[in-house]
Amino acid sequence: MNISYLILILLPLILTFCMFSHFSSNTWFKDNSHLGRPHFSKSRLGKGRVHHVKYFPDGTRLAVASSIGIWIYNVETGQALDLLTEHTGPIKSIVFSPDCKTFATGSTDKTIRLWDTNTYECKSTLFGHENEINLLTFSPNGENLASRSEDNTIRFWDVQSGNLLKTIDSFEMRFVSSMAYSTDGKKLLTFISGNEGEFALWDTKTGECLELDFIEKYYTTTPTDTGAYSPDRSILVCGGSNPIQFCNAETGEFIRSCTEHIGQPASIEFSPDGQTLVSGNSIYRFAINIWEVSSGKLLRSIEHADSIRTVAYSPDGKTIVSGSDDGTVRLWEVSTGELIKTITGHMYPEIFTTAFSPDGNILIYGSDYELEWWNPQDCEHIKTSAIQNRHVHSVNFSYDGKMYAIGGELKKVRLWDVQTGRFLGSFIGQAEQVSTVAFSPDGNLLATGGNDKQVCLWEIRTGEQYLIGDRLATFTEQSENVTSVVFSADGKTLASGSEDKTIQIWDMDTRTHLNTLTGHDKGVTDVVFSPDGTTLASGSQDGTIRLWNTDIDSLVLPPIEGAGHVTSLDYSPDGSILASGSEDGNAIYIWDAKSGHKLHTFTGHTQRVNDVVFSSDGKTLASVSSDGTAHLWDTTTLKSDQ
């Protein structure tokens, strides 16, 4: 056959395959972003961090407890089937009832929710705990549920009625890392991790402690971090910085140790038949290890790229699922250790800062050790830029969009070329972490502020290999950490906010201090100039936003109340509205910039909103959160909350 003819036949097939492969690996966000997305959110970037994973009893689906809800995945395809968002905080625990009809989830929102396994309908919500709930277990007959909370209590619930039956309020509850009912349901077995390790039996009716033993007296004095009970409740296994240990769950007597010590497990689970054990390491060596229970022998070790937070067996014991800080949920074959499937998109780190490029074609956000680049128009992920060994607390584009600067824990600010990705140099001189960076409108200056209480002004050179210039000024008027710096639109004024409750104003022509604005009762978290430069907005931990007249240094309006603990501010490009992010309620508020009236509230984040920023056309507001997600909000159809 003619080679040219063969190429003509095969080339379209190859191109089609490549396009399909690209589509499959890069469109998880677009395929799944509609699930559980709040009203007015045009797009959600990221699926939240993974806290706990469990197979559904039929083995065909996965339940993934994340920082934004419970994801339901098809095991065979890896496709997201649903996202349950009734919880208002991260979900820490999932457990299925013995009859497989119900699953329970515990959350940092202090509630337990009971769900229908088939329809995913929330059947009831249990209230009573005063802090986050991180452990749940059903009684053998499925009639009762035990929950453990950071409020140092274990509570027993009637599943049918939702009534609270009993509360164990004990100092011993402070570090419970595993618990299970006895086979007859009359006792609750708990393992309390720590430097010694305690094993306790509790009467489920009276709440009385029947037995409390220090397990360390049998075999170890080194810290233990996690534990699990065998399916028949006869064996307790616990692990930490010492080798994994097995003991009798009734007496606490030591049985055996694992043959090797490989890393430090954060999660341990027995296989359904109780013959093997899987552990996932979060410290030192990142690996999934499979052990033989009868001998403690290591059967298989599967290396991983990052900390493993949770592991679980499938109902038939043939596969294992793991959730990791690398943002993946992975399915593994037990017999061979081969990777079966990878589900991506679960960003582990909290996101601290975000910025739109001036042309609106790039959205960049910074977190732990990396920058993520997105096209906000089609929500395609562009690239990830690794930031070695440091959190990124502030990122900003120059006004012409050619450069960006980042500040963080490294005590220096780094400058990069947007187009080529070339490193342009570091500004070195701040003694503590850098919390905020801002370019002057002409691109010749960079202002920085941080935990050394100083505001520094740096020269950006032009036409050189590296653009890093001299430190031109150091302003020391603030007496606490500097949280924000911003230039006015004409570049003639620089303002900074600080935890010392004040706003400082400097003249950029003379580089002298002009004024101190006071009035906030707590630390100032952000300051931003209106586009016309006539108003300076400040947000604070005191729950107010203040609008200052920059000409006469007085308030334009009375303080705007109801903003919660303000974390971030930004004006729309036309100056008509002001957006604020909050730690209270994890909400974003939209304000009329002239009257101070609240126009709208965006809700959907489950943890603190760390930054908000408008696109250059004002039609989109981006928000980033400690829940590991970003939202792009539609600001064109807002209705007043008033």
Side-chain angles (χ1 to χ4, degrees), residues 262 316 469 548 613:
I262 304 176
D316 62 9
W548 307 85
V613 61

Side-chain angles (χ1 to χ4, degrees), residues 53-55 226-228 237-239 244 246 258 265-281 287-293 297-302 308 310-314 317 319-323 330 332-334:
V53 293
K54 284 290 182 184
Y55 277 88
T226 185
V237 62
C238 46
I244 292 174
F246 298 85
C258 284
S267 179
I268 296 176
E269 183 170 300
F270 280 89
S271 61
D273 62 10
Q275 295 184 15
T276 61
L277 180 83
V278 62
S279 63
N281 295 349
I288 299 165
N289 300 312
I290 302 172
W291 311 86
E292 185 177 60
V293 172
K297 178 183 177 183
L298 178 65
L299 300 177
R300 184 163 289 104
S301 186
I302 306 168
I308 299 157
T310 176
V311 290
Y313 276 94
S314 61
T319 62
I320 289 169
V321 62
S322 63
R330 298 176 189 259
W332 311 85
E333 188 173 280
V334 172

Side-chain angles (χ1 to χ4, degrees), residues 413-475:
V413 177
R414 286 172 284 186
L415 205 62
W416 305 80
D417 185 286
V418 172
Q419 188 66 32
T420 65
R422 185 170 70 90
F423 175 60
L424 301 176
S426 296
F427 296 103
I428 301 174
Q430 303 236 211
E432 299 291 340
Q433 77 172 30
V434 179
S435 303
T436 176
V437 298
F439 284 94
S440 62
D442 62 9
N444 294 327
L445 300 174
L446 187 75
T448 65
N451 290 0
D452 61 3
K453 310 172 187 177
Q454 297 181 349
V455 173
C456 297
L457 198 63
W458 308 88
E459 174 193 14
I460 300 176
R461 295 172 180 163
T462 57
E464 298 187 18
Q465 177 79 13
Y466 294 101
L467 307 185
I468 305 304
D470 298 328
R471 177 157 49 170
L472 303 177
T474 301
F475 304 126

Side-chain angles (χ1 to χ4, degrees), residues 458-616:
W458 308 88
E459 174 193 14
I460 300 176
R461 295 172 180 163
T462 57
E464 298 187 18
Q465 177 79 13
Y466 294 101
L467 307 185
I468 305 304
D470 298 328
R471 177 157 49 170
L472 303 177
T474 301
F475 304 126
T476 59
E477 280 78 5
Q478 315 258 212
S479 60
E480 296 294 340
N481 298 342
V482 178
T483 56
S484 179
V485 292
V486 62
F487 284 94
S488 59
D490 60 10
K492 294 182 177 181
T493 306
L494 178 70
S496 70
S498 168
E499 291 179 3
D500 66 9
K501 310 176 189 177
T502 71
I503 299 125
Q504 304 294 341
I505 310 294
W506 291 276
D507 183 280
M508 287 295 94
D509 289 333
T510 61
R511 292 172 193 155
T512 58
H513 183 252
L514 291 177
N515 203 0
T516 300
L517 306 181
T518 60
H520 282 294
D521 296 328
K522 293 183 180 180
V524 176
T525 53
D526 202 7
V527 290
V528 59
F529 277 102
S530 61
D532 63 8
T534 61
T535 305
L536 179 71
S538 61
S540 169
Q541 297 171 3
D542 65 13
T544 69
I545 297 170
R546 295 173 185 252
L547 304 181
W548 307 85
N549 186 316
T550 56
D551 291 330
I552 57 177
D553 301 325
S554 63
L555 287 177
V556 177
L557 299 169
I560 300 172
E561 306 282 348
H565 177 152
V566 179
T567 57
S568 178
L569 296 170
D570 198 32
Y571 273 99
S572 61
D574 65 4
S576 64
I577 59 177
L578 180 69
S580 66
S582 175
E583 183 173 323
D584 301 325
N586 313 315
I588 299 108
Y589 300 108
I590 306 297
W591 312 87
D592 184 292
K594 301 302 180 185
S595 67
H597 292 154
K598 186 187 295 183
L599 299 177
H600 197 76
T601 303
F602 293 135
T603 58
H605 285 296
T606 59
Q607 291 179 270
R608 166 190 165 112
V609 176
N610 290 321
D611 203 4
V612 293
V613 61
F614 278 97
S615 61
S616 55

Side-chain angles (χ1 to χ4, degrees), residues 226-372:
T226 185
Y229 294 94
S230 60
D232 63 2
R233 276 54 163 198
S234 65
I235 298 175
L236 166 66
V237 62
C238 46
S241 57
N242 54 288
I244 292 174
Q245 311 285 343
F246 298 85
C247 67
N248 187 301
E250 292 186 4
T251 66
E253 184 178 357
F254 171 65
I255 300 174
R256 71 181 62 86
S257 298
C258 284
T259 54
E260 299 181 49
H261 179 45
I262 304 176
Q264 190 163 333
S267 179
I268 296 176
E269 183 170 300
F270 280 89
S271 61
D273 62 10
Q275 295 184 15
T276 61
L277 180 83
V278 62
S279 63
N281 295 349
S282 63
I283 302 176
Y284 309 129
R285 178 183 171 187
F286 306 137
I288 299 165
N289 300 312
I290 302 172
W291 311 86
E292 185 177 60
V293 172
S294 61
S295 65
K297 178 183 177 183
L298 178 65
L299 300 177
R300 184 163 289 104
S301 186
I302 306 168
E303 296 294 328
H304 212 285
D306 209 333
S307 295
I308 299 157
R309 294 294 168 184
T310 176
V311 290
Y313 276 94
S314 61
D316 62 9
K318 294 180 179 180
T319 62
I320 289 169
V321 62
S322 63
S324 170
D325 286 356
D326 65 7
T328 66
V329 174
R330 298 176 189 259
L331 284 75
W332 311 85
E333 188 173 280
V334 172
S335 61
T336 64
E338 291 185 3
L339 178 64
I340 301 170
K341 190 169 296 297
T342 300
I343 299 170
T344 61
H346 285 282
M347 301 295 295
Y348 168 72
E350 61 181 305
I351 306 172
F352 301 110
T353 180
T354 188
F356 276 103
S357 61
D359 61 9
N361 292 329
I362 298 172
L363 178 72
I364 186 173
Y365 60 72
S367 57
D368 293 352
Y369 316 134
E370 62 189 19
L371 292 174
E372 297 290 347

